[in-house]
Amino acid sequence: MTGINISGGNFGPINTGTNSGSMSGANINQQQAPLVTLLEQLRAETAALEIADRKALDRNLTGLLEDARKAQDPDTAEDVEPEVVRTRWEKVKGLLSQASEVSGTVAQIGGHISELIGAF
């Protein structure tokens, strides 16, 4: 049986031609661009909020932005540590748990973080 198995997020035209075996994966560069935008949006939305531990929030958001940017570059994508990303995101979510003003953005970012962690 001939077939092609494509998994992950695939963007842009795909010319399959004649193939054998399986194809899988995604272009991490394109996948993570929205994550950078959403994290920057979250940082802007939280700037005026009273957060119990502002320094921790800022530090973890900065770390997540650095990770998302690294993930966009094939030369640095391997430097992204999924467990560090997960820990940073959990800390951010915890710090923002009472901030209903940003819950929509937090929900959107959660999906992207899962994709980022799953890509490694």
Side-chain angles (χ1 to χ4, degrees):
M1 178 175 187
T2 305
I4 298 174
N5 177 18
I6 299 175
S7 63
N10 293 283
F11 304 91
I14 298 174
N15 181 359
T16 58
T18 303
N19 296 293
S20 63
S22 63
M23 257 170 61
S24 66
N27 185 334
I28 193 77
N29 298 346
Q30 293 178 1
Q31 257 187 339
Q32 298 311 319
L35 176 57
V36 170
T37 302
L38 286 168
L39 287 167
E40 288 172 344
Q41 177 182 335
L42 183 62
R43 187 188 330 217
E45 290 175 358
T46 59
L49 298 177
E50 288 188 31
I51 305 296
D53 191 347
R54 168 62 60 188
K55 287 182 183 181
L57 177 65
D58 292 343
R59 182 177 56 251
N60 284 285
L61 280 175
T62 297
L64 286 169
L65 274 163
E66 289 171 3
D67 290 335
R69 288 183 179 119
K70 281 181 186 178
Q72 289 179 320
D73 183 348
D75 293 333
T76 58
E78 291 181 7
D79 296 339
V80 178
E81 299 178 44
E83 191 55 38
V84 173
V85 172
R86 181 179 294 114
T87 300
R88 286 177 175 152
W89 180 237
E90 290 302 320
K91 182 70 172 177
V92 168
K93 285 192 313 183
L95 290 166
L96 296 176
S97 64
Q98 301 301 312
S100 62
E101 301 90 343
V102 296
S103 61
T105 305
V106 170
Q108 289 179 30
I109 292 171
H112 288 285
I113 293 290
S114 295
E115 289 176 17
L116 176 65
I117 292 169
F120 294 98

